[in-house]
Amino acid sequence: STDNRKIACTAIFTCSRVWLLVFLAWRAHERGGDARFDDVKDKFGRFLTFWIVQGVWVFAISMPMVFVNSSTVWNPQLSTINVLALVGFALGVILEMLADIQKALWVNAGRTGGFCQSGVWSFSRHPNYFGEMLQWWCVWVFAYSSGSGISDVQWWASIISPLFTMQ
């Protein structure tokens, strides 16, 4: 049978990561590369370390989604908390997308004013990061229903996702 919780969590997670992939690829294309790699791309050890750290980051933020999808708890119905967490996750994705697009437009317009202050940037200095953090706190809350309750060690271990994102 279909587990709607697993499908919903995977779908929104995929949308979030596809957006990040498309945005970063577009930005690297626009800028003629990714400056984050400039100092390490010709040094194998540093380049390898850079990629390993990124792999750890991806694993860490993915933990609640992995927890949901690997759970043997049969709970296909979405509870009110699940729906609220999914809505929060979706709002986080939308906020991050809006912030990224608005900042890109501001950069292309010549970076007037020294710092972007239009759209969602008028409310926060880093709305894209807020959107990212909102996503991972919401997916962690969503993952609760995939465990055995408040004492589930694996669910608590997956809190590393939002905590790691906040650093």
Side-chain angles (χ1 to χ4, degrees), residues 93-138:
V93 173
I94 291 166
L95 178 60
E96 184 178 5
M97 290 173 68
L98 279 172
D100 288 342
I101 291 167
Q102 289 170 351
K103 186 168 183 186
L105 292 171
W106 173 77
V107 168
N108 288 343
R111 297 179 181 257
T112 56
F115 192 80
C116 185
Q117 296 180 5
S118 61
V120 294
W121 292 87
S122 64
F123 300 108
S124 170
R125 187 166 177 129
H126 298 289
N128 50 344
Y129 295 138
F130 177 77
E132 185 81 13
M133 287 183 274
L134 178 61
Q135 290 172 51
W136 303 119
W137 278 110
C138 287

Side-chain angles (χ1 to χ4, degrees), residues 60-78:
I61 67 156
S62 301
M63 283 181 66
M65 198 258 325
V66 171
F67 178 67
V68 168
N69 285 310
S70 64
S71 173
T72 58
V73 173
W74 177 248
N75 192 1
Q77 298 304 314
L78 296 173

Side-chain angles (χ1 to χ4, degrees), residues 2 10 12 26 31 36 44 46-47 52 63 69-70 78-79 96 102 105 107 112 119 129 158-159 165-166:
T2 302
T10 302
I12 200 150
W26 170 82
R31 295 178 178 178
R36 298 176 298 173
F44 178 76
R46 290 183 68 200
F47 190 69
I52 289 172
M63 283 181 66
N69 285 310
S70 64
L78 296 173
S79 70
E96 184 178 5
Q102 289 170 351
L105 292 171
V107 168
T112 56
Y129 295 138
S158 70
I159 199 172
T165 304
M166 294 179 71

Side-chain angles (χ1 to χ4, degrees), residues 152-166:
D152 193 306
V153 174
Q154 291 176 323
W155 177 69
W156 279 108
S158 70
I159 199 172
I160 196 162
S161 172
L163 292 176
F164 198 80
T165 304
M166 294 179 71

